[in-house]
Amino acid sequence: MVDSPFRLSRGALWLLLTFSGAQTANAIANVFVNLFMLVVAHNLSGLITFNIGYFVSLTITFYTAAKIFHDKPPLLPYRVGLLFTMLFYAALLVLSHSAQHLIFALGFTYGIAQGFYWFGFNLMTFDTIDPQLRMRFFGLSGAVNSVMGILAPLFSGFIISTIQGIGGYLVVFAAALILYTLAFVLSQGVPEGPPMHLQPIMDSWRVMAEHRNWAAIIKTIVVRGTREGITNLAGLFLIFLATHSAAIVGIYTALNALARMTASLLVTRHVHYGRQIAFMTLGVIGMSGAGLLLILGRSWPWLLAYGILFGLSLPFYMIPSENIPLTIMDQDPLITERRVSYTLSREVALNIGRLFTIFLLAVSIRWFSQAGSIIALIILTSLSQFWNISVMATMVPLPSPVISSKK
């Protein structure tokens, strides 16, 4: 009997269903939550404030979750994250226009919700899915998320553009609330799995002191975070500034997602051990070139070109740069016991980089134009990734056949 590529264990199938429901909700609403904050605040400062609250609480929540759920299965923080996210969207529906007075608090709440959610999910994929099924699980969930990442923003942009005022945003948030509720219900079918038996929280700092390569990797993750802090906001703000159209924001997001999906498939097929650094270099060149396009023009055609080129370039850099830290983690013989310690230090480093860029943007717009500040940071944070490549180039492991021949 031929094993079906779509066959999963019962527990993995339930996890796929609940995760896909939650990620579909994110695809529908995530971009437009940020746009909503921009609209109700009437300026970029509101968007910055929301994201500062989000990343601050996201960082704190990873540590809080590790402390609270020390001897619990990872399904529990995952379900808490779903519940808090449902409460966040319910709050948006209740507050409506009044959300402008609570932007930081809403960002902080959303960060708590997503912190619990991702903490639990990341550990579930490690602990409760059979290692032989992980690639199948991620392949199926990636396919669903890619399709939703293209279709959902088009749906949301159409709804928001069709319904005047903020009514369209509230419809989108209601749809996200329904999908998160469905994901919460579906999570009942996921088996609890074993307790996490986490290491002491301070161990996330010890691994950096004990392992020189990991300490160097943490610095590259901070630098990577500086780029993520600005690019998540840049296209959204610039396209809305140029068009004041939620529909075009949806088109921009969908085209960017399509470009990323296409490039990710190419990377998955062609990037191997010996090619990682070369492809990362190609990706950073493309990301930097996309930023330079914005110097030439800021009308929506130029912005769409930026989004497509950036989307095509990003996976060539991101996929290897996410894989290399995992290979460094695997060099620790105690990785099974200390996997959470490594994960915590990695997530905190990433958020430090994100927050640095957001704070830098908040300061720079006091003296320079908003669009000019964003474009400058896009280019600078893209170029800074060349430093990451120089560090990681010394750590890329030899291909397996070469390693085997030296044993």
Side-chain angles (χ1 to χ4, degrees):
M1 180 178 179
V2 179
D3 185 28
S4 168
F6 301 104
R7 183 172 297 163
L8 292 171
S9 67
R10 182 181 177 86
L13 180 59
W14 279 107
L15 181 59
L16 176 66
L17 291 173
T18 180
F19 180 62
S20 296
Q23 289 302 94
T24 300
N26 281 340
I28 286 174
N30 206 27
V31 168
F32 295 97
V33 166
N34 279 286
L35 187 57
F36 176 75
M37 297 303 165
L38 179 63
V39 169
V40 296
H42 306 294
N43 55 52
L44 181 59
S45 296
L47 183 58
I48 292 172
T49 301
F50 177 79
N51 279 273
I52 288 175
Y54 173 80
F55 286 123
V56 167
S57 64
L58 187 69
T59 305
I60 295 171
T61 302
F62 282 123
Y63 280 101
T64 303
K67 182 70 174 179
I68 294 175
F69 300 108
H70 171 74
D71 56 350
K72 302 294 191 299
L75 176 62
L76 188 54
Y78 173 77
R79 297 191 73 220
V80 169
L82 291 174
L83 182 60
F84 270 70
T85 308
M86 290 159 55
L87 294 174
F88 167 75
Y89 281 111
L92 290 181
L93 293 175
V94 172
L95 289 170
S96 186
H97 284 286
S98 300
Q100 64 179 308
H101 304 298
L102 295 168
I103 287 179
F104 180 81
L106 286 168
F108 200 87
T109 302
Y110 192 41
I112 292 173
Q114 292 293 287
F116 282 124
Y117 170 81
W118 284 112
F119 180 84
F121 176 76
N122 287 337
L123 286 173
M124 278 195 294
T125 58
F126 190 93
D127 289 342
T128 65
I129 298 179
D130 189 305
Q132 295 180 342
L133 295 175
R134 284 181 191 149
M135 287 300 294
R136 186 176 298 176
F137 176 88
F138 284 117
L140 289 172
S141 64
V144 172
N145 295 338
S146 295
V147 172
M148 289 300 103
I150 296 167
L151 297 179
L154 296 175
F155 163 79
S156 299
F158 173 78
I159 293 295
I160 293 170
S161 296
T162 302
I163 302 175
Q164 293 186 350
I166 65 168
Y169 290 96
L170 300 183
V171 171
V172 168
F173 298 156
L177 175 59
I178 292 170
L179 285 168
Y180 262 107
T181 303
L182 176 62
F184 183 80
V185 172
L186 291 172
S187 71
Q188 303 283 346
V190 181
E192 283 195 348
M196 289 182 281
H197 300 305
L198 304 179
Q199 292 289 314
I201 288 176
M202 288 305 297
D203 194 59
S204 63
W205 300 101
R206 293 193 192 105
V207 293
M208 287 187 286
E210 295 173 6
H211 301 284
R212 185 175 62 182
N213 279 355
W214 186 248
I217 283 292
I218 285 296
K219 295 175 184 177
T220 70
I221 292 174
V222 172
V223 174
R224 195 180 91 200
T226 63
R227 181 202 55 76
E228 293 185 14
I230 187 65
T231 52
N232 290 337
L233 308 180
L236 166 70
F237 175 74
L238 292 174
I239 200 78
F240 190 73
L241 182 67
T243 65
H244 292 281
S245 170
I248 296 182
V249 171
I251 293 171
Y252 169 88
T253 305
L255 288 174
N256 179 264
L258 178 61
R260 281 187 283 113
M261 182 183 72
T262 302
S264 295
L265 292 173
L266 290 172
V267 172
T268 302
R269 182 176 178 84
H270 296 291
V271 176
H272 306 294
Y273 282 106
R275 298 180 178 179
Q276 288 184 99
I277 298 302
F279 274 84
M280 287 175 69
T281 303
L282 179 63
V284 174
I285 291 172
M287 289 157 51
S288 304
L292 293 174
L293 283 179
L294 298 177
I295 295 178
L296 301 176
R298 300 178 192 174
S299 59
W300 68 265
W302 285 101
L303 291 165
L304 290 181
Y306 158 79
I308 293 170
L309 179 55
F310 195 90
L312 288 171
S313 305
L314 182 61
F316 286 92
Y317 171 73
M318 281 298 293
I319 293 176
S321 73
E322 289 177 341
N323 180 62
I324 291 171
L326 295 178
T327 64
I328 301 302
M329 289 168 58
D330 286 337
Q331 293 173 7
D332 188 343
L334 299 176
I335 183 58
T336 300
E337 293 80 9
R338 306 181 81 178
R339 65 194 185 282
V340 177
S341 299
Y342 281 97
T343 300
L344 284 174
S345 61
R346 182 182 63 193
E347 293 299 329
V348 170
L350 196 60
N351 285 335
I352 287 173
R354 290 163 171 167
L355 280 168
F356 175 79
T357 309
I358 293 174
F359 278 120
L360 192 59
L361 177 61
V363 172
S364 65
I365 62 174
R366 294 178 178 272
W367 287 281
F368 307 101
S369 72
Q370 295 179 346
S373 297
I374 286 177
I375 293 169
L377 286 173
I378 289 173
I379 296 171
L380 289 174
T381 57
S382 294
L383 291 172
S384 69
Q385 307 309 310
F386 280 116
W387 181 82
N388 279 5
I389 294 174
S390 69
V391 173
M392 290 185 179
T394 66
M395 300 183 183
V396 175
L398 294 169
S400 297
V402 177
I403 294 176
S404 300
S405 67
K406 289 189 175 185
K407 288 183 179 179

